[in-house]
């Protein structure tokens, strides 16, 4: 599975060790390129700005030191993304559970790109000013190349995160229904108790507010040509929709998580949901900082540390917690993995009360097992999930509340 090593190097098979080592290699390569090749372009930009009399864009000693710190930070994140892409890539396609495998592949691609893109992203913000092109053309290039791609990544991770929370939610609601002897799921009761509808209303309100505000701070100028007008209209609508989606996600995720029983999986959901919400919301004011601040190196550094660094930190936190959530999802002893199997069998129309009982037993043992939410590894799950999904299939049938045989009260 993955890379093969002699027995004395078995420790190198550990996924986290591989990620750590590959991170150091990627970091060293990226930082050396940044401090040599990329730095030569920064020096050239200083000369161009000096010749044009734009001394406010020429780096002084303090600003240069700040940019070096930023480069160290961003090239380290680049190394993390590269390591995640390579190390997890050897395992992701071998996950047996098809539903979890598809989501893991999306998460693997998204987190890898999210981490690796920040170094070239931040560097391009600085160097694109020296191209001599129309500033508006450069701005549109940056938005479509970098900002919209990270927005797409946020949406993908938001969906992935919500789906995993929903898996745990389905199990929690099944428990509560059997305990209370009645339907307790708000999503299956009167419409005014359905928090998905509440979230939709919240999204519509924020979208209605965000659109006119966006056009106020970035209005359509008479000098814009057709493609520029099309871009800004589309840009404002998309950014406003993402802001609305962020608040909708925050509300629905919060309402869902509050209904979950205490567990490490719940804690992971909280932290990763906060990071996703921040990445949604920050994308709305992000472009305004670039277009509504005076062209000065002080402002460039301030945006890097005041906007980009928080996004980078949120990305790193999200990458860690999403990876932990994936570890839980691919551990066949965890209730999350059992829930995924239950959903797969339910969707396929399987019917077996004995299988349902087995599902409950598996869930109960998962909750009582101290390692069920512990530090599992994906390489272990690729071998375990085959037995979990093939040798012990979980099948369910539709039964009344009085006939429930699933033992999941643990």
């Amino acid at each position: 599975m993955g890379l093969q090593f002699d027995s004395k190097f078995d420790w190198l098979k550990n996924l986290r060790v591989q990620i750590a080592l590959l991170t150091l290699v990627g970091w060293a390569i990226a930082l050396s390129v940044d401090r040599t090749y990329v730095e030569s372009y920064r020096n050239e930009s200083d000369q161009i700005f000096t010749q044009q009399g734009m001394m406010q864009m020429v780096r002084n000693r303090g600003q240069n030191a700040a940019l070096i710190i930023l480069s160290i930070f961003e090239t380290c994140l680049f190394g993390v993304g590269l390591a995640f892409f390579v190390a997890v890539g050897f395992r992701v396609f071998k996950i047996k559970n098809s539903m979890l495998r598809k989501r893991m592949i999306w998460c693997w691609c998204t987190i890898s790109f999210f981490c690796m893109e920040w170094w070239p992203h931040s560097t391009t913000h600085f160097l694109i000013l020296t191209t001599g092109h129309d500033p508006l053309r450069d701005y549109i290039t940056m938005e479509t190349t970098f900002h919209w791609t990270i927005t797409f990544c946020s949406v993908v991770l938001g969906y992935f995160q919500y789906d995993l929370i929903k898996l745990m939610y389905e199990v929690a609601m099944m428990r509560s229904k059997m305990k209370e002897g009645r339907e307790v799921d708000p999503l299956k009761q009167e419409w005014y108790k359905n928090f998905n509808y509440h979230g939709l209303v919240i999204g519509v309100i924020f979208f209605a507010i965000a659109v006119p505000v966006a056009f106020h701070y970035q209005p359509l100028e008479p000098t814009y040509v057709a493609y520029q007008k099309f871009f800004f209209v589309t840009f404002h609508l998309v950014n406003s929709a993402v802001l609305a989606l962020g608040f909708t996600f925050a509300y629905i995720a919060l309402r869902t998580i509050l209904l979950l029983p205490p567990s490490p999986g719940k804690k992971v959901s909280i932290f990763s949901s906060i990071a996703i919400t921040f990445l949604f919301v920050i994308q709305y004011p992000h472009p305004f900082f670039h277009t509504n601040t005076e062209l000065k190196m002080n402002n460039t550094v301030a945006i890097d540390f005041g906007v980009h660094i928080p996004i980078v930190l949120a990305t790193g936190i999200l990458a860690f917690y999403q990876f932990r959530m994936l570890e839980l999802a691919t551990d066949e002893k965890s209730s999350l993995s059992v829930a995924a199997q239950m959903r797969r069998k339910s969707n396929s129309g399987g019917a077996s009360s004995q299988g349902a009982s087995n599902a409950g037993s598996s869930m109960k043992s998962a909750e009582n097992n101290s390692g069920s939410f512990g530090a599992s590894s994906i390489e272990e799950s690729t071998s375990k999930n085959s037995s979990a999904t093939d040798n012990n299939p979980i099948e369910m049938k539709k039964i009344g509340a009085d006939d429930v045989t699933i033992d999941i009260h643990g």
Side-chain angles (χ1 to χ4, degrees), residues 114 118 147 150-151 153-155 157 242-243 246 272-286 307-308 310-319:
F114 227 147
W118 272 105
H147 294 168
I150 62 175
T151 297
C153 290
S154 299
V155 172
L157 290 176
V242 170
L243 177 71
S272 53
S273 295
I274 291 173
I276 290 173
T277 299
F278 173 78
L279 291 173
F280 275 130
V281 174
I282 195 63
Q283 298 308 321
Y284 181 76
H286 184 187
V307 180
H308 292 171
I311 295 177
V312 170
L313 289 174
T315 301
I317 293 172
L318 180 60

Side-chain angles (χ1 to χ4, degrees), residues 353-373:
S353 59
Q354 181 62 39
S357 180
N358 290 341
S361 300
S362 298
M363 229 179 300
K364 185 172 182 179
S365 66
E367 292 166 349
N368 293 332
N369 190 317
S370 61
S372 63
F373 282 100

Side-chain angles (χ1 to χ4, degrees), residues 62-73:
Q63 294 164 347
N64 188 52
L67 291 175
I68 291 175
I69 295 174
L70 184 68
S71 296
I72 293 173
F73 197 79

Side-chain angles (χ1 to χ4, degrees), residues 334-378:
S334 74
S335 59
L336 187 60
S337 182
V338 172
Q341 298 170 46
M342 290 170 63
R343 176 188 284 184
R344 182 177 68 86
K345 289 299 179 182
S346 178
N347 291 340
S348 64
S352 170
S353 59
Q354 181 62 39
S357 180
N358 290 341
S361 300
S362 298
M363 229 179 300
K364 185 172 182 179
S365 66
E367 292 166 349
N368 293 332
N369 190 317
S370 61
S372 63
F373 282 100
S376 61
S377 62
I378 294 177

Side-chain angles (χ1 to χ4, degrees), residues 326-340:
L326 288 166
E327 286 185 316
L328 298 177
T330 53
D331 180 359
E332 52 104 1
K333 293 182 179 180
S334 74
S335 59
L336 187 60
S337 182
V338 172

Side-chain angles (χ1 to χ4, degrees), residues 390-405:
D390 297 332
N391 298 332
N392 295 300
I394 298 175
E395 300 179 348
M396 299 182 63
K397 70 174 183 178
K398 296 182 180 178
I399 47 182
D402 297 333
D403 299 322
V404 174
T405 59

